[in-house]
Amino acid sequence: MDMHLLNRRALLKVAIGVAATGMVPVRAFGQASSASPAAKPLPARGEFVIRGATVLTMDAKLGDFERGDVHVRNGAIVAVAQALAVPGAVAIDGRGTICMPGFIDTHWHLWTTVCRPIIRIDDPKRGYFPVTSALGRHFTPEDSYRSVRLGLAEALSAGATTVHNWAHNVRTPAHADAELRAMRDCGVRGRFSYGQAQGMPDDEPMNYDDVASVKRKWMPNDSMLTLGMCSRNFGPSQTALRGTISLDMARKDWGGARALGLPITLHTSGPSPIKALDEAKLLGPDVQLVHPLLTSAEERQILRERGVSYSMAPIGESRRPASAGVIQLGELLEAGVKVSLSIDTTGTYGCDYFEAMRILYNLHQHRIGARVPLTSKRLVQLATLDGAVDLGIAERTGSLTPGKRADLILVRTGDVNIAPVGDPYEALISFAQPRNIDTVIVDGRILRRGGEFTALDYAEALKEANETAAALRVRANWS
């Protein structure tokens, strides 16, 4: 038997056992019209024990296990120990794997995924911003669904179990429904942040009647999905195609979000707006900023005092010109600011959290070094538990703590690019790749096993995404 893969008969036993209890897969709690066939039901939750894995809990009280077991029942982590006696539970062989929390992505423009075949990194006129700005104005709700679904397929294959869908092209409430439906159909945990449509005038406020209607339809649900608001840029920006709003408009937009109890997220691509936002009394623990490149020591102190978090996307940020600033991980950690990790977009690179952590480590060592110590374990925390803290869901996920939901991955340690493994954190940061991820479990549902999807039809997702990309090119008259 291949010890790296889940036993198919064992998985079948899980499904049969769950069916006997009367539990059924989650179905729709928000509806949107679609030409696509109904999504395949997600795998049912059951009871199983992952045995013999190297377990990295990201829980300071529990610690790690060179060889340990993880017991899961009905989507919750029941126990983690060196050896567990759980009569009747299905055993999943974890030998030769690292069992750890799934990655938590805190900022990803999933709607842009289908623009990938059109974007060019070596032609400014066909770069990410010109393409997504032009094509975004022609998206239908079905285009949004297909793009988000394809992006989430890649997220799952890369080990992400939670994704913050930074949706800055919500053209109608139906577009929001479509993106939320894609998140639900794929089985991920996440936040959907409702944003302005591409091309929306800077002097036009967000329509909070639309946002409220989406909130009523989708929230509360089974706690898998939450709602937020993504703000338009404030102040000077390096991405003029995204538009910028005045301080007065920011007050209106952010006030509307807070009236609905929604957290707010904002890009800071350009001169830092932190002092102006603080003077306007707009900053608070419900605010997440994105792209920490140009903050001052004074501003970092403000962020810590106000409880603001910062999401960094090191793969994309490291490609920016020197004038854009530097990735300030060390400075933020030193100041005690909450930080997290994100992919941002897969329009010009793939989803790879191992690469993102490696880039952060390399740049940190190059710029700061030992002045602000940074360990491989701290980087894994950044990509897991810190993301849960940022999104306000640390009581549910981010660590393998008993009582939390079972969002976890198994990473093979016998593959040629990673073996032989000494310290597991070192292996993850220095050697691991998405192809080493064998199993992905979200809320106790096994969504990938043996590197294959258990429910998501990737062939269909790819076919429909290709159709959408071609149709958008025609509609936008993009040559």
Side-chain angles (χ1 to χ4, degrees), residues 46-63:
E47 183 174 16
F48 54 86
V49 181
I50 298 170
R51 295 201 177 278
T54 297
V55 182
L56 308 182
T57 69
M58 306 316 300
D59 182 318
K61 294 181 180 179
L62 272 179

Side-chain angles (χ1 to χ4, degrees), residues 267-407:
H267 286 138
T268 58
S269 302
S272 176
I274 292 169
K275 289 187 69 175
L277 291 171
D278 188 55
E279 289 169 0
K281 302 188 183 305
L282 288 174
L283 295 180
D286 59 345
V287 175
Q288 177 208 59
L289 302 180
V290 180
H291 301 315
L293 303 173
L294 292 167
T295 67
S296 67
E298 179 186 4
E299 288 172 328
R300 292 190 289 275
Q301 180 69 15
I302 291 171
L303 295 178
R304 187 187 66 78
E305 292 175 354
R306 303 291 181 261
V308 177
S309 62
Y310 235 129
S311 173
M312 57 191 64
I315 300 177
E317 290 164 1
S318 65
R319 294 185 176 189
R320 298 190 180 198
S323 60
V326 296
I327 303 172
Q328 297 179 314
L329 173 61
E331 290 90 340
L332 293 169
L333 291 176
E334 189 174 43
V337 179
K338 294 183 292 184
V339 289
S340 63
L341 189 68
S342 76
I343 291 297
D344 190 355
T345 173
T346 51
T348 57
Y349 50 83
C351 179
D352 187 340
Y353 298 98
F354 304 113
E355 180 185 8
M357 291 186 286
R358 273 192 287 275
I359 287 174
L360 276 178
Y361 181 79
N362 293 343
L363 291 178
H364 177 86
Q365 290 301 104
H366 177 69
R367 292 184 51 245
I368 295 176
R371 182 173 69 79
V372 180
L374 181 64
T375 66
S376 54
K377 183 173 183 177
R378 185 65 186 83
L379 282 166
V380 174
Q381 179 183 321
L382 182 77
T384 55
L385 183 58
D386 286 355
V389 171
D390 186 343
L391 297 180
I393 54 174
E395 79 288 350
R396 300 185 61 78
T397 189
S399 65
L400 303 186
T401 303
K404 289 190 179 185
R405 304 305 292 175
D407 296 351

